[in-house]
Amino acid sequence: MSLDFFTFPGGEIHATAETGAPASSLSLCAHLRDAGSIISLLLATDALRRAYPGIPLELCLPYVPYARQDRVANPGEALSAKVFCNLINQQGYSRVRIQDPHSDVVAALLERVEVEDPLPALRRALEAIGPATLVAPDAGARKRVLKLAQLLGCPAVCADKIRDTVTGKISGIELHGELPDSPLLVVDDICDGGGTFVGLAEAIAARRAASGQTGPLYLYVTHGIFSRGLDRLLEHFDAVFARNDWSGDARCRLV
């Protein structure tokens, strides 16, 4: 069945669902990239409910908007993840399937949530590059990457980034322990502008140069927003892998 949208001259979005198709259940897949797409999702949900009353409706939501704002760092800030998750919960979906929600906070906030297994996509990346050491780029990714490395039987190393909570600016990258003399695969949930990964790549290159090491460096992310493109990333990484790619750049290797 189809969903049709148009936008009025004043900016309001209108949604209409096709009627009459036989259905015992419905699944709505939403790739939400901006605030307008969230409104489109809510309108589509209402349209489907009106077109197919009483039919269970599940939501496939690979990327959860505002998942990165899952705590209040400064007085007066909105807890954006909770605001968004409350919106989703109010729709009463039969199930909400998500991928790599940044932290356990979002999974706890969403009702009837199912987090898809991240291992198959990461395995496909490793099959493309061969055995590698996984790299956690910061403290937020450490627990997840160490668990993935254990499940995959890979070694892992960790890094930390130093960030100003008011400006969001990263002032430094610190690598912990010794780097193995082997291919490295940086693993994270989201790449937005890519500054964190460029800084990490530069820190890894400096550490390798100091110890006389060489070897390829790769990047894998679940959600490739790539808001500043891939050019700068590919100056530092031999390949970039993503489960979801917003850029449409053929140089991103989908897995």
Side-chain angles (χ1 to χ4, degrees), residues 40-205:
S40 295
L41 169 62
L42 300 179
L43 294 176
T45 298
D46 187 69
L48 286 168
R49 290 263 166 73
R50 293 177 186 279
Y52 299 91
I55 302 296
L57 174 62
E58 77 165 22
L59 175 64
C60 174
L61 188 66
Y63 174 71
V64 181
Y66 301 102
R68 286 175 283 179
Q69 299 174 30
D70 59 2
R71 63 188 179 92
V72 174
N74 299 289
E77 289 182 346
L79 184 52
S80 306
K82 185 173 183 179
V83 172
F84 176 78
C85 290
N86 284 345
L87 274 177
I88 297 301
N89 292 338
Q90 289 165 10
Q91 307 314 304
Y93 298 109
S94 60
R95 179 174 60 161
V96 179
R97 293 188 289 117
I98 63 177
Q99 298 173 8
D100 229 344
H102 188 67
S103 74
D104 294 337
V105 174
V106 168
L109 289 171
L110 285 170
E111 298 171 357
R112 295 174 295 280
V113 68
E114 177 183 306
V115 182
E116 295 184 6
D117 187 357
L119 285 176
L122 186 53
R123 281 197 180 101
R124 289 190 288 271
L126 287 169
E127 287 168 2
I129 66 176
T133 296
L134 304 191
V135 181
D138 55 31
R142 182 179 302 139
K143 180 180 176 181
R144 172 178 168 273
V145 172
L146 290 176
K147 181 179 179 181
L148 289 171
Q150 182 181 26
L151 292 171
L152 292 166
C154 298
V157 295
C158 299
D160 275 324
K161 58 187 176 186
I162 305 168
R163 184 191 294 273
D164 186 313
T165 60
V166 175
T167 65
K169 184 177 180 180
I170 297 170
S171 57
I173 301 286
E174 181 182 6
L175 289 164
H176 300 291
E178 297 296 323
L179 286 181
D181 193 5
S182 67
L184 301 177
L185 177 62
V186 177
V187 177
D188 209 353
D189 58 334
I190 300 168
C191 178
D192 194 337
T196 296
F197 301 112
V198 169
L200 175 59
E202 290 173 343
I204 289 172

Side-chain angles (χ1 to χ4, degrees), residues 19 65 219:
T19 60
L219 173 64

Side-chain angles (χ1 to χ4, degrees), residues 27-42:
S27 182
L28 180 58
C29 188
H31 295 275
L32 305 181
R33 303 185 180 186
D34 53 40
S37 64
I38 296 172
I39 294 297
S40 295
L41 169 62
L42 300 179

